[in-house]
Amino acid sequence: MGDLQIKKQTKKYDAVIVGSGAGGGMAAYVLAGAGLKVCLLEAGSMFDPATNSSQLKNPWESPRRGARTKYRPFGDFDGAYHGWEIDGEPYIKAEGTKWDWFRARMVGGRTNHWGRISLRFGPKDFKRKSIDGLGDDWPIGYEDVKPYYDKIDRLIGVFGSNEGLPNDPDGIFLPPPRPRLHELFIKKAATGVGVPVIPSRLSILTKQINKDRGACFFCAQCGRSCKVYGDFSSSSVLVKPALATGNVDLITNAMAREVLTGKDGLATGVSYIDKTDLQEYQVYGKTVILAASTCETARLLLNSKSDRHPNGLANESDVVGKYLHDSTGAGMGAIIPTLFDRKRYNEDGVGGLHVYTPWWLDNKKLDFPRGYHIEYGGGMGMPMYGFNWGIEDINGKFLVHGKQKEAGGYGKSLKEDNRYFYGARIGMAGRGESVARRDNYCEIDPTTVDRYGIPVLRFHVKHSEYEFAQARHMKQTFQEIFHSMGAVVTHGNKDSAANDWGLDNPGNVIHEAGTVRMGSDPKTSALNKWNQAHDCRNLFCVDGSSFVSQADKNITWTILALSMRASEHIVEEMKKQNI
Amino acid sequence: MDRRKSIKALVVGTLSTGVLIEACKTDDKKQPDQAQPATADAVTRMPEEQVADKELREEKFFTSGELATITVLGDIIIPRDEVSGSASDAKVTEFIEFMANDKPEFRTPLRGGLRWLDLQCLNRYEKQFRDLDEKQQLEMVDEIAYPAKAKPEFKQGVAFFTLMRNLTMSGFYTTEMGVKDIGYLGNRPNQWNGVPEDVLKQYNVAYSEKELKECVSFDKTA
Ligand SMILES: Cc1cc2nc3c(=O)[nH]c(=O)nc-3n(C[C@H](O)[C@H](O)[C@H](O)COP(=O)(O)OP(=O)(O)OC[C@H]3O[C@@H](n4cnc5c(N)ncnc54)[C@H](O)[C@@H]3O)c2cc1C
Ligand code: SF4
């Protein structure tokens, strides 16, 4: 260790951004476009979907036929490097609590493989406390964010339909794809029991919107990331054009350690480890923008202690790490006998659902305070590892070509069964809002460091009765819809307190938010309404950490809108020399 | 629309002509040899993944005798028929060998299951499973292939055979031969125009006027 030293960059940037996912990519795009000089630090390696995606590979091109590995938790072809586990980078869960933490490490972060579900928050989602007395209101409202939703709809592209719903705002939509067959069945059945089904809203280009990106060619593989940039990834849609301005120095494999501050308490830059040479570096900027993802951003702030900021940076209020919350998730699977022995055609469509159900009920009349939306899956997908796994639970239960068979089996009869049942399975997943609570939090573990010597996070998160009641309602709804379409439930209908009523672990839905929340009162919030730290005016957090509450929507479209809003504000403030 | 035309239509006006054409070529590619890392891995895999995969490919867990029994069982589970070939035609044994390295939790159930099976056969026929004649093999398999009616003393065999069935299906239906058999027609550039007319009719469903108006559609004659 004798030759370990800190290498200081001489160049001073206008901004140092940590993380190149949704939040950081957008900040780099806006700042570089305005002519500011940006240093973009990214802990992962370079990734450009055009060259690095496994799109259109066949299952046999993977020795494990697409099965998951620790490097690719969503499967061997998936567009995410790392995920639930990273060698040498542990995290701790306090006893009796659960937390799953997904960390993609690559240019573009998790937006290379995300589900592309791109939902605006509605007016009520910013004011939940005023409605049900729980949590807090945001310091901003829908009207503050709407112009930015409009801008990103145009810039990035999203399909959907204008329905005039009160809390699921209309947008500037490309035409959605037609529903698939099982989606037509779902629509008919759900509508029949009072559950609305409308076109989904995904950031996928059903029409070309500019010369830099191709239109979607319907391969259903957005999760692998799109070689023609037909869907939104920060890597292709934000980082790439930002780099093209010549104003951005992208440093990959740069693992930020802490935010550096001066005697006046202002941020001066960031220190990081270069994972390729394991040396320590420092880079300086007039402003520091954190977008390392909700929990990692909190970790950076809590690890940035100084005389001026003894409780960690931006943490005079002591809220950093608190109010951590994820979407709730619960699912159920079924099989549709009318789809047995179905005619084959290419049913890939886009890489996601073509229809979904936005929250449709009034929580005042229910025993849980917040809503959920429903996502649907099914169809004649590409056979992958796990194909028809568990057929022994199916093939004795239904007649095959009019014949009753014994469950299990083998041989020509089994081959017949595989053809017969193909494409008949469907699934539903509820994605709901959990209530942000101060006592669900992450903090720095007092004893553990990662391989770079950076203290790691310890999580304390539990579901509450609100989430359990919501999950029970989800499951009743799913069963009702399945029943009304004549589908037979195959899994997810045997829940009890022992399995948390079928709820996924917190963190597992990967919509974590809230650890550096914004607010008008510096005593109860870390950031102001411009994502700017109350106690350090040249520090901004532009990922999901700034969220006051989740909404029953996936969060990324709002991360993008708020990052764009904050970044434009930074450009203005820099022009006025306020930062 | 014929595929060539659709690719042409898609390529016009996109930046990534080369990419698309490259991409389309891959589905005409010959099935790569299991033992050879695909060349494209260099750009689609992290260095640590490539190292790990190489080790997994080289590691030998099963004995040649065990592999021979797996092959016999595989072909009982997925034999050749009028539509497609057998598990061994699709190199399912190599796949299972790889998976036992990739997911070591399969090792004990597979090795122990094979041993369980051989012991049953030795007691019954004085031969190990793979040396039985076909009729005897099927007699034995019939004892463990049907979970609901198997005798209690064969439950361990049922668990083993169930795992073998599932792994064999995964290995078979994910090859070119298996994908063709099952009739999956995607994984190629195309234009989604909704469910084909005749299928809509068959199930007595239709697109609403709203859907027809608002959804993207492509001129089939273009
Ligand atoms: C399978 C899956 C499906 C999803 N589907 C949807 C969906 O349909 N809709 C939706 O709205 N959301 C979805 N999400 C969530 C979505 O991906 C995230 O909300 C979004 O990517 C968050 O953006 P971010 O910028 O906060 O973080 P990320 O995208 O995670 O980017 C953070 C970046 O920071 C880097 N980084 C981390 N720590 C450091 C450090 N110390 N130093 C330097 N760099 C660092 C990381 O490497 C990463 O590149 C999905 C997520 C997953 C995993
Ligand atoms: S479905 Fe469309 S956008 Fe998604 S990866 Fe395929 S071509 Fe690209």
Side-chain angles (χ1 to χ4, degrees), chain A residues 17-25 41-45 74 78 80 84 89 102-119 202 234 254-257 272 291-294 296-297 299-300 375 454 509-512 542-545 553-559:
Chain A
I17 301 174
V18 181
S20 63
L41 297 176
E42 168 52 55
S45 54
F74 282 76
D78 191 60
W84 304 119
E89 298 189 39
F102 193 95
R103 293 169 288 174
R105 290 285 167 74
M106 60 206 301
V107 169
R110 288 172 285 172
T111 65
N112 293 302
H113 82 134
W114 70 308
R116 272 79 183 180
I117 300 174
S118 303
L119 304 175
L202 308 186
S234 173
M255 180 74 190
R257 173 187 292 284
Y272 68 91
S293 80
T294 293
E296 192 72 32
T297 287
R299 178 186 181 199
L300 279 164
E375 302 175 4
I454 308 174
V509 183
I510 324 182
H511 295 157
E512 71 281 4
V542 297
D543 49 24
S545 64
K553 325 282 195 302
N554 318 49
I555 62 174
T556 309
W557 218 239
T558 303
I559 294 178

Side-chain angles (χ1 to χ4, degrees), chain A residues 45 47 50-65 67-69 71-72 76-77 80-82 105 160-163 174-181 184-185 187-188 198-199 206-208 210-219 221 224 227-229 240 338-350 354-355 380-392 406-412 414-416 418-419 422, chain B residues 10 12-16 19-20 23-24 26-27 29-32 34 38 40-41 43-46 48-49 52-53 56-57 76-86 90-91 95 98-99 102-103 106 138 141-142 145-149 161-163 165-167 169-179 181-196 198-200 202-208 210-212 214-218:
Chain A
S45 54
F47 187 87
T51 37
N52 304 119
S53 166
S54 291
Q55 189 181 24
L56 296 182
K57 281 198 181 181
N58 286 298
W60 57 86
E61 292 174 75
S62 154
R64 56 181 67 75
R65 313 299 163 81
R68 65 185 61 197
T69 68
Y71 304 109
R72 307 259 180 178
D76 213 21
F77 293 127
Y81 293 163
H82 302 291
R105 290 285 167 74
S161 60
N162 286 329
E163 305 281 336
L174 299 167
R178 288 179 183 165
R180 304 176 178 95
L181 185 57
L184 287 172
F185 288 2
K187 187 170 170 185
K188 200 166 163 184
I198 62 171
T206 49
K207 294 236 147 96
Q208 197 173 11
N210 64 39
K211 65 174 180 26
D212 298 323
R213 298 172 59 195
C216 171
F217 56 77
F218 305 99
C219 74
Q221 294 168 24
R224 301 185 187 188
K227 283 171 176 276
V228 303
Y229 305 162
K240 194 176 159 142
T338 44
L339 280 181
F340 291 161
D341 200 24
R342 59 187 297 197
K343 185 183 168 181
R344 307 297 199 253
Y345 53 92
N346 181 351
E347 199 185 33
D348 279 350
V350 302
H354 292 187
V355 299
M380 296 185 281
M382 184 189 292
M384 294 287 239
Y385 178 81
F387 179 79
N388 273 349
W389 196 283
I391 197 164
E392 68 279 1
E406 185 64 40
Y410 60 87
K412 291 184 180 181
L414 182 68
K415 287 176 96 174
E416 177 186 55
N418 273 299
R419 290 172 204 130
Y422 175 61
Chain B
L10 285 158
V12 172
T14 71
L15 77 156
S16 303
V19 166
L20 251 181
C24 297
T26 59
D27 59 25
K29 239 198 254 158
K30 274 262 139 60
Q31 180 172 340
Q34 267 282 321
D41 279 5
V43 289
T44 60
R45 309 236 157 262
M46 291 187 277
E48 52 265 58
E49 279 181 293
D53 276 4
L56 291 172
R57 282 187 165 99
I76 289 173
I77 293 167
I78 300 282
R80 172 178 288 275
D81 67 0
E82 49 295 339
V83 180
S84 63
S86 65
K91 298 199 161 112
F95 164 75
F98 180 87
M99 290 315 295
D102 196 38
K103 296 185 188 289
F106 288 146
L138 292 187
V141 163
D142 280 335
Y146 302 101
K149 71 167 194 195
F161 192 80
T162 301
L163 178 60
R165 183 196 299 111
N166 283 319
L167 279 171
M169 281 166 31
S170 270
F172 180 78
Y173 289 107
T174 53
T175 59
E176 197 163 9
M177 182 190 300
V179 166
D181 177 323
I182 217 67
Y184 170 66
L185 296 174
N187 197 30
R188 65 199 68 192
N190 74 105
Q191 294 173 319
W192 169 254
N193 242 331
V195 181
D198 57 327
V199 177
L200 289 172
Q202 181 193 343
Y203 292 97
N204 199 21
V205 284
Y207 288 115
S208 65
K210 178 175 179 287
E211 281 160 342
L212 290 174
E214 76 194 356
C215 292
V216 66
S217 62
F218 301 93

Side-chain angles (χ1 to χ4, degrees), chain A residues 89-392:
Chain A
E89 298 189 39
Y91 63 91
I92 313 291
K93 284 167 274 188
E95 217 185 301
T97 68
K98 293 176 177 163
W99 180 257
D100 292 346
W101 191 15
F102 193 95
R103 293 169 288 174
R105 290 285 167 74
M106 60 206 301
V107 169
R110 288 172 285 172
T111 65
N112 293 302
H113 82 134
W114 70 308
R116 272 79 183 180
I117 300 174
S118 303
L119 304 175
R120 297 179 180 212
F121 283 17
K124 290 182 192 166
D125 295 322
F126 294 95
K127 305 290 167 198
R128 282 291 165 197
K129 184 175 188 181
S130 303
I131 297 169
D132 62 22
L134 298 169
D136 275 293
D137 287 347
W138 289 62
I140 50 177
Y142 179 68
E143 61 291 349
D144 295 300
V145 193
K146 180 182 184 296
Y148 298 93
Y149 283 133
D150 287 351
K151 279 200 211 183
I152 61 169
D153 282 4
R154 288 199 183 89
L155 171 72
I156 293 173
V158 51
F159 70 70
S161 60
N162 286 329
E163 305 281 336
L165 297 169
N167 200 43
D168 299 270
D170 291 343
I172 299 151
F173 291 126
L174 299 167
R178 288 179 183 165
R180 304 176 178 95
L181 185 57
H182 66 274
E183 292 170 328
L184 287 172
F185 288 2
I186 288 166
K187 187 170 170 185
K188 200 166 163 184
T191 316
V193 296
V195 178
V197 174
I198 62 171
S200 58
R201 298 172 174 182
L202 308 186
S203 45
I204 294 173
L205 305 182
T206 49
K207 294 236 147 96
Q208 197 173 11
I209 59 166
N210 64 39
K211 65 174 180 26
D212 298 323
R213 298 172 59 195
C216 171
F217 56 77
F218 305 99
C219 74
Q221 294 168 24
C222 294
R224 301 185 187 188
S225 79
C226 188
K227 283 171 176 276
V228 303
Y229 305 162
D231 57 13
F232 171 73
S233 292
S234 173
S235 51
S236 51
V237 179
L238 299 173
V239 176
K240 194 176 159 142
L243 290 174
T245 63
N247 292 328
V248 180
D249 291 338
L250 167 64
I251 308 183
T252 54
N253 294 304
M255 180 74 190
R257 173 187 292 284
E258 63 178 282
V259 179
L260 304 166
T261 50
K263 286 214 170 59
D264 55 3
L266 291 177
T268 56
V270 175
S271 71
Y272 68 91
I273 297 107
D274 184 325
K275 287 160 57 181
T276 57
D277 65 10
L278 296 180
Q279 296 294 316
E280 296 285 326
Y281 292 82
Q282 294 189 349
V283 56
Y284 306 104
K286 287 187 205 153
T287 175
V288 170
I289 301 172
L290 299 184
S293 80
T294 293
C295 300
E296 192 72 32
T297 287
R299 178 186 181 199
L300 279 164
L301 292 174
L302 293 170
N303 276 330
S304 303
K305 286 188 182 164
S306 62
D307 290 345
R308 282 291 300 264
H309 304 286
N311 198 30
L313 190 55
N315 198 24
E316 276 172 29
S317 61
D318 202 33
V319 300
V320 173
K322 313 279 192 323
Y323 301 99
L324 172 57
H325 61 306
D326 181 27
S327 296
T328 55
M332 196 179 283
I335 192 157
I336 315 179
T338 44
L339 280 181
F340 291 161
D341 200 24
R342 59 187 297 197
K343 185 183 168 181
R344 307 297 199 253
Y345 53 92
N346 181 351
E347 199 185 33
D348 279 350
V350 302
L353 63 182
H354 292 187
V355 299
Y356 89 115
T357 293
W359 178 236
W360 70 104
L361 293 171
D362 180 357
N363 290 92
K364 289 219 170 86
K365 298 175 186 150
L366 297 163
D367 64 348
F368 56 98
R370 306 284 165 88
Y372 60 88
H373 73 267
I374 310 174
E375 302 175 4
Y376 302 105
M380 296 185 281
M382 184 189 292
M384 294 287 239
Y385 178 81
F387 179 79
N388 273 349
W389 196 283
I391 197 164
E392 68 279 1

